[in-house]
Amino acid sequence: MLKIGNYEFQSRLLLGTGKYADFETQQKAVEVSEAEILTFTVRRMNIFNEHQPNLLERLDLSKYSLLPNTAGAKTAKEAVRHSKLARASGLCDMVKVEVIGCSKTLLPDPVETLLATEELVKEGFTVLPYTSDDVVLARRLEEAGAHAIMPGASPIGSGQGILNPVNLRFIIEQANVPVIVDAGIGSPADAVYAMELGAEGILLNTAVSAAKDPVKMAEAMRLAVNAGRMGYEAGRIPKKLYASASSPMEGFVG
Ligand SMILES: CC(=O)[C@@H](O)[C@H](O)COP(=O)(O)O
């Protein structure tokens, strides 16, 4: 079970809702993923106008927890404003803080992310900041009251997978809140890897929405996240330099 603040979820796969070719594919992919948390960009939605078509309108929203993200914000102030808009619409009090500091790499601005997290925690939000895989910053975000830490595996939408497994391990080992790997996951193998490192969940979008068959990929990601978690809980064998026989011969009389 994944616990984020006061919320509990069975699924450890969080899904983005952007970049699907059409509503039908999005709907089917979300369904087979069994994700319970869906993220969407506040700035892209006209959340106060029910007549405005939006990407979430075909989904039965009573089945999901919505995680608005503050994508498009360049400062803490903007991120706080986006979050308040989302909460005022009555959707959810969880928010993914995303304050981008570089338009080419889409890497987060660490200072503004921390400031936004501090402010939103004070305002009573359940706060999930998207961060780089910086170990010290992850600790500072937790100290600021973040309810989960979401380090990127690699740049958003790049599909490069996990670039720095050592940093992710350090972050996971020191964290007392769930670590959810967010962004850059390209394939089910990446998701398994992150979960085997001990991540409590994965947030991904492009790997599913831009796959040749998004629905099949959504299912593959569900299985990968579950397999990775099971593997982590089961405990992998230590790596050894030399062979050790699978059928030991000690005590064998022959
Ligand atoms: C939807 C969302 O929140 C993205 O900004 C997120 O970071 C996913 O990134 P990928 O598209 O690389 O999975």
Side-chain angles (χ1 to χ4, degrees):
M1 179 168 304
L2 172 62
K3 287 187 176 188
I4 304 173
N6 293 326
Y7 298 96
E8 292 182 353
F9 305 96
Q10 297 301 322
S11 168
R12 293 178 181 276
L13 174 59
L14 292 70
L15 210 58
T17 53
K19 300 197 278 195
Y20 283 89
D22 53 72
F23 283 130
E24 204 193 341
T25 309
Q26 182 207 45
Q27 192 179 11
K28 280 191 189 147
V30 167
E31 222 165 87
V32 304
S33 75
E34 293 182 8
E36 293 169 274
I37 304 177
L38 302 180
T39 181
F40 67 95
T41 301
V42 178
R43 241 176 60 156
R44 291 230 179 83
M45 319 282 290
N46 195 340
I47 49 185
F48 292 103
N49 181 356
E50 61 188 26
H51 304 299
Q52 182 85 14
N54 71 54
L55 287 168
L56 299 175
E57 70 180 0
R58 303 281 180 95
L59 300 171
D60 175 2
L61 295 184
S62 64
K63 282 166 46 184
Y64 304 101
S65 290
L66 295 179
L67 177 63
N69 67 61
T70 65
K74 292 196 177 98
T75 62
K77 214 170 148 189
E78 282 174 1
V80 170
R81 189 160 49 81
H82 293 189
S83 306
K84 286 183 176 172
L85 274 173
R87 185 163 70 179
S89 74
L91 291 176
C92 187
D93 77 340
M94 283 203 294
V95 65
K96 170 181 160 179
V97 174
E98 185 172 328
V99 186
I100 298 302
C102 167
S103 58
K104 191 164 180 186
T105 60
L106 296 184
L107 289 171
D109 182 318
V111 177
E112 297 296 317
T113 300
L114 182 58
L115 289 172
T117 299
E118 283 168 351
E119 182 60 25
L120 289 166
V121 168
K122 271 189 220 145
E123 296 272 355
F125 283 86
T126 300
V127 187
L128 295 80
Y130 162 61
T131 170
S132 56
D133 59 9
D134 185 293
V135 182
V136 178
L137 178 60
R139 195 179 63 228
R140 294 289 303 272
L141 289 165
E142 183 178 336
E143 285 166 2
H147 299 84
I149 308 293
M150 304 217 292
S154 53
I156 295 173
S158 72
Q160 291 182 55
I162 299 172
L163 295 182
N164 196 332
V166 175
N167 274 12
L168 282 185
R169 265 190 73 178
F170 289 159
I171 290 173
I172 288 164
E173 276 173 23
Q174 75 172 9
N176 300 298
V177 293
V179 174
I180 297 168
V181 172
D182 172 13
I185 296 292
S187 73
D190 300 333
V192 173
Y193 190 16
M195 294 305 289
E196 281 194 73
L197 287 174
E200 291 223 25
I202 305 277
L203 193 164
L204 59 86
N205 189 157
T206 312
V208 167
S209 65
K212 202 164 72 186
D213 183 340
V215 179
K216 197 172 252 187
M217 186 58 85
E219 182 167 15
M221 288 298 186
R222 169 172 62 79
L223 295 169
V225 168
N226 290 344
R229 182 65 188 182
M230 280 178 83
Y232 171 74
E233 287 172 357
R236 63 153 294 143
I237 58 166
K239 290 185 184 178
K240 291 182 194 157
L241 186 57
Y242 292 104
S244 61
S246 300
S247 311
M249 299 301 281
E250 292 100 50
F252 186 78
V253 186

